[in-house]
Amino acid sequence: NAGVTQTPKFQVLKTGQSMTLQCAQDMNHNSMYWYRQDPGMGLRLIYYSASEGTTDKGEVPNGYNVSRLNKREFSLRLESAAPSQTSVYFCASSDRLAGGPGTDTQYFGPGTRLTVL
Amino acid sequence: LAKTTQPISMDSYEGQEVNITCSHNNIATNDYITWYQQFPSQGPRFIIQGYKTKVTNEVASLFIPADRKSSTLSLPRVSLSDTAVYYCLVAEQEGKLIFGQGTELSVKP
């Protein structure tokens, strides 16, 4: 039981390049999330998927796209990377309990450190 | 502008009790408050969650006043291994999930 896995662990891009960050969970969770973490800013939600086949914007969605490929996998794509997207990206998953989105306990992956030159 | 705010940093010594307060004045009515711990180069890890009053588990307590506009994470008798960043997470009235900026706790011998 690996929990939440992310690939790659590190990536360096040039401005304008594209790439996809992969995330998979083996806990049979319905909800999955993508966050970015920048110094002094905490974690900010980019996109989330409450269930297979649905995605919604979070706090900072501009410049990103997501795909909920199946229940296990949720990918994040940068179509044209910019230096402002240099950050650590975390994927998380949770099982939706009764109540609002803040009720869920999220399980996080180890993160992807992305640098855009 | 509604924000979820925490102190940037705190210092403590081994064996002391540490209290970290998060202000969340726009919390959604029916939603919980959750606290996470993060070590360097790792993803955040769940510590404790509550809706009202006081919740206690094997690692921490969470105090929530009646108006729910703040919450206080209490770590009893901290050790060096509790040095980490602590985040509160709430859902706001508009349904957005918002993390606080994080409190960097440094425990000294």
Side-chain angles (χ1 to χ4, degrees), chain B residues 25-76:
Chain B
N25 59 10
N26 192 37
I27 185 172
T29 304
N30 296 321
D31 228 325
Y32 280 57
I33 299 150
T34 309
W35 283 79
Y36 290 83
Q37 176 191 54
Q38 186 179 28
F39 296 111
S41 301
Q42 294 184 23
R45 186 179 68 172
F46 172 88
I47 302 176
I48 196 167
Q49 183 182 74
Y51 182 77
K52 221 182 248 189
T53 61
K54 177 184 174 183
V55 178
T56 298
N57 63 19
E58 63 275 8
V59 298
S61 293
L62 181 60
F63 298 90
I64 304 167
D67 66 6
R68 300 190 349 108
K69 292 187 185 299
S70 67
S71 59
T72 299
L73 173 72
S74 181
L75 304 172

Side-chain angles (χ1 to χ4, degrees), chain A residues 67-108:
Chain A
S67 295
R68 183 73 182 268
L69 305 169
N70 47 55
K71 192 171 186 179
R72 288 188 65 247
E73 298 172 290
F74 189 37
S75 63
L76 179 72
R77 183 160 178 83
L78 287 71
E79 289 290 352
S80 179
S84 61
Q85 294 178 304
T86 293
S87 188
V88 181
Y89 291 84
F90 287 100
C91 177
S93 71
S94 70
D95 213 1
R96 173 49 55 91
L97 304 174
T103 305
D104 304 347
T105 297
Q106 297 185 36
Y107 296 84
F108 285 82

Side-chain angles (χ1 to χ4, degrees), chain A residues 35-38 85-90 110-114:
Chain A
Y35 292 91
R36 61 176 290 173
Q37 185 172 41
D38 304 294
Q85 294 178 304
T86 293
S87 188
V88 181
Y89 291 84
F90 287 100
T112 294
R113 190 173 296 273
L114 175 67

